[in-house]
Amino acid sequence: MQYFEDYHDYMRKNWVIFSSTDIDLLKGFLLVSCRHLSMVQLEEEYVEMAIRYKLAYIQSLREIISTEDLSLGRVAVSKAIVLAFDDLMLSNLSMAAKHIGGALEIVQMAGGFQALGSSSFVSYIFSSCIYGKRLLDLDPMLRGAAVSLELGSIWA
């Protein structure tokens, strides 16, 4: 149990370094930053920027998914995680759950995070969405995925 606590602290303290290795996650910080500023500063400029970043992210994710190129799965998962966090900030838990559910399908089709080539930080964020925030429990369509999911199966 102590190992997991130490690992959690290690990831939390070094998230900037870890996230910088995933360009799509790093780009996602622009969306999350604008969303945060729109909520804190209450300025329309930040709201508009967040909407533009989100629409671009959604469009990019749709393009990746429509190619059906499994080699782009790593990018799609990172983008889905960013969109899930944006929806969490907006308190849209249902949509956040759908993004994580879609990412889960991609991870499972690829054979796990290691097969995708995702960083340990991306898999850490993903697992915190499933097990920490329990997002899959929020959507009846995804609840079965959470039950049938074995920890080792997505990290293999």
Side-chain angles (χ1 to χ4, degrees):
M1 187 64 146
Q2 183 62 40
Y3 170 77
F4 290 114
E5 289 175 19
D6 292 344
Y7 183 73
H8 176 75
D9 286 341
Y10 178 71
M11 286 294 196
R12 230 177 18 132
K13 290 176 183 172
N14 296 294
W15 68 270
V16 173
I17 295 167
F18 296 130
S19 63
S20 67
T21 63
D22 189 313
I23 192 70
D24 296 293
L25 203 56
L26 199 55
K27 288 179 182 177
F29 287 136
L30 295 173
L31 167 58
V32 175
S33 297
C34 287
R35 180 70 67 204
H36 174 75
L37 288 171
S38 74
M39 298 169 110
V40 173
Q41 298 292 328
L42 302 174
E43 291 186 25
E44 192 64 30
E45 176 184 5
Y46 294 122
V47 173
E48 291 172 11
M49 288 173 67
I51 290 170
R52 279 196 305 264
Y53 280 125
K54 185 164 192 166
L55 290 175
Y57 241 76
I58 291 170
Q59 180 180 357
S60 174
L61 181 56
R62 282 184 174 168
E63 289 170 4
I64 290 169
I65 291 171
S66 69
T67 66
E68 298 182 12
D69 182 353
L70 290 179
S71 68
L72 295 174
R74 181 193 57 76
V75 175
V77 168
S78 292
K79 287 182 181 289
I81 290 171
V82 168
L83 289 170
F85 270 91
D86 186 56
D87 285 320
L88 284 172
M89 290 179 78
L90 294 170
S91 298
N92 188 347
L93 301 179
S94 174
M95 187 55 71
K98 287 181 185 354
H99 289 307
I100 294 301
L104 175 61
E105 284 184 40
I106 294 167
V107 169
Q108 288 178 327
M109 284 184 354
F113 274 99
Q114 205 168 35
L116 269 178
S118 291
S119 69
S120 59
F121 184 67
V122 171
S123 65
Y124 171 78
I125 294 171
F126 183 78
S127 65
S128 76
C129 289
I130 293 176
Y131 301 108
K133 299 187 184 331
R134 310 221 31 103
L135 285 178
L136 295 184
D137 294 350
L138 301 173
D139 189 326
M141 299 293 290
L142 299 172
R143 201 170 294 134
V147 171
S148 66
L149 181 66
E150 296 178 22
L151 274 174
S153 68
I154 61 173
W155 285 275

